[in-house]
Amino acid sequence: MRSKIVAGNWKMNLTFDEADELVNDMLDRLDEEHEMKCEVIVCPPFPYLEMLTDMEYEEQKFNVGAQNCSAYDKGAYTGEVSAKMLKSLDVDYCIIGHSERRKYFGETNEILAEKVNRVIENNMSPIYCVGEVLEEREAGRHFEVVKEQLEKGLFHLDGDAIYDAIIAYEPVWAIGTGKTATPEQAQEMHAYIRQLVKEHYDQAAADDIRILYGGSCNAKNATELFSQPDVDGGLIGSASLKAEDFVSICKQASKLMKD
Ligand code: 13P
């Protein structure tokens, strides 16, 4: 059975002190949970990565991911952060292609394919995000949009590398809106994505790959979303900024994993 993953995307929130407080609160609460079986990933802003990777090694309770990386390897690219730099801080995951990067920073599927390559070359796992905007869903184009995002940005990976990837389905209309996809809508898209993995790779890759749901996922709706057969956990935005809510979501994911 695939293990569940709960990943927190802090986005551009929190000062250093607030981040320190949040992670300590989270660790205290995780300490109380002896049955935490799911994998927990925390994705803070770049300046806080080292604080978290240090704690990761001390506490062994969570893994650390970045929210983005450069499409370039190294060199004169002022303001960019390379995948190699992230790896040198012991970061193991990197979110690629979040809809906010696609929308506000003009990241195309072609740029994202390069970012995925840099992440894989540096032995990290991309958390590759896909999802349609409201107009696309209303026009019945959501499957087509997600298919193109996957085919252009992720499915160029060869058979072995796809095993390192995680996919996050985040319908844009559900992000930060409080309007969560129904469990049926999430399941339908996740099953479709898994079918695409099977078509481009094979049954083993489709059975193995973790597909997370993101978009107004919170402590109240996590169980019903994560109990869908093709939903392997969540990519959590605002609820990851509250230790109580985030740990509750992790606990719900763990409960759904059989011994
Ligand atoms: P919210 O959980 O705040 O809707 O954000 C989801 C998200 O974008 C995670 O990457």
Side-chain angles (χ1 to χ4, degrees):
M1 189 201 172
R2 291 181 297 271
S3 56
K4 301 253 187 233
I5 297 178
V6 177
N9 175 9
W10 290 0
K11 306 191 181 183
M12 196 176 74
N13 291 297
L14 310 174
T15 62
F16 184 84
D17 286 347
E18 288 165 349
D20 186 41
E21 196 179 319
L22 173 60
V23 76
N24 278 300
D25 191 0
M26 192 186 90
L27 284 170
D28 287 347
R29 292 169 190 273
L30 286 172
D31 265 343
E32 293 162 15
E33 302 298 335
H34 304 297
E35 293 298 304
M36 197 58 79
K37 292 200 210 90
C38 75
E39 185 177 346
V40 180
I41 304 172
V42 181
C43 304
F46 288 134
Y48 312 151
L49 282 167
E50 198 177 1
M51 167 176 69
L52 264 77
T53 51
D54 283 351
M55 282 186 176
E56 173 192 350
Y57 277 96
E58 234 172 80
E59 305 279 346
Q60 310 270 321
K61 286 191 167 49
F62 62 92
N63 297 299
V64 179
Q67 297 174 16
N68 178 33
C69 73
S70 179
Y72 299 103
D73 199 19
K74 64 172 184 169
Y77 300 104
T78 302
E80 287 285 88
V81 173
S82 72
K84 194 171 188 172
M85 292 171 187
L86 298 174
K87 188 64 191 177
S88 73
L89 292 176
D90 292 323
V91 171
D92 287 322
Y93 296 88
C94 187
I95 299 173
I96 298 291
H98 192 282
S99 63
E100 289 148 14
R101 305 266 352 144
R102 292 176 187 265
K103 179 174 175 193
Y104 302 123
F105 303 98
E107 296 193 358
T108 61
N109 290 320
E110 291 70 22
I111 293 171
L112 298 172
E114 285 302 315
K115 294 191 176 204
V116 165
N117 290 342
R118 299 297 88 74
V119 171
I120 294 283
E121 283 159 14
N122 286 281
N123 300 314
M124 295 186 289
S125 293
I127 303 175
Y128 183 75
C129 301
V130 295
E132 78 285 357
V133 300
L134 187 60
E135 299 74 54
E136 290 164 338
R137 178 159 281 264
E138 285 176 347
R141 293 187 53 233
H142 42 299
F143 292 118
E144 185 188 320
V145 168
V146 166
K147 184 173 191 235
E148 185 176 0
Q149 290 169 337
L150 287 167
E151 288 184 343
K152 293 195 171 154
L154 188 70
F155 287 169
H156 62 284
L157 289 178
D158 72 21
D160 285 342
I162 195 71
Y163 281 87
D164 291 327
I166 295 168
I167 297 171
Y169 170 55
E170 300 205 304
V172 181
W173 46 270
I175 296 178
T177 57
K179 197 168 171 250
T180 320
T182 63
E184 294 73 26
Q185 285 172 322
Q187 169 56 26
E188 185 184 36
M189 183 58 87
H190 284 228
Y192 175 70
I193 293 171
R194 205 175 296 287
Q195 178 62 28
L196 289 177
V197 174
K198 183 182 164 187
E199 284 165 21
H200 282 80
Y201 298 93
D202 55 20
Q203 185 68 54
D207 288 342
D208 187 83
I209 201 158
R210 261 83 59 85
I211 308 172
L212 312 183
Y213 170 79
S216 300
C217 181
N218 57 41
K220 292 204 175 79
N221 58 28
T223 293
E224 61 169 359
L225 286 161
F226 299 172
S227 20
Q228 299 302 310
D230 289 297
V231 179
D232 304 312
L235 182 53
I236 317 298
S238 54
S240 73
L241 298 171
K242 292 189 205 108
E244 187 180 359
D245 290 2
F246 187 63
V247 173
S248 163
I249 296 168
C250 297
K251 196 172 157 186
Q252 292 176 51
S254 297
K255 270 208 177 129
L256 292 166
M257 288 174 61
K258 298 198 178 71
D259 290 323

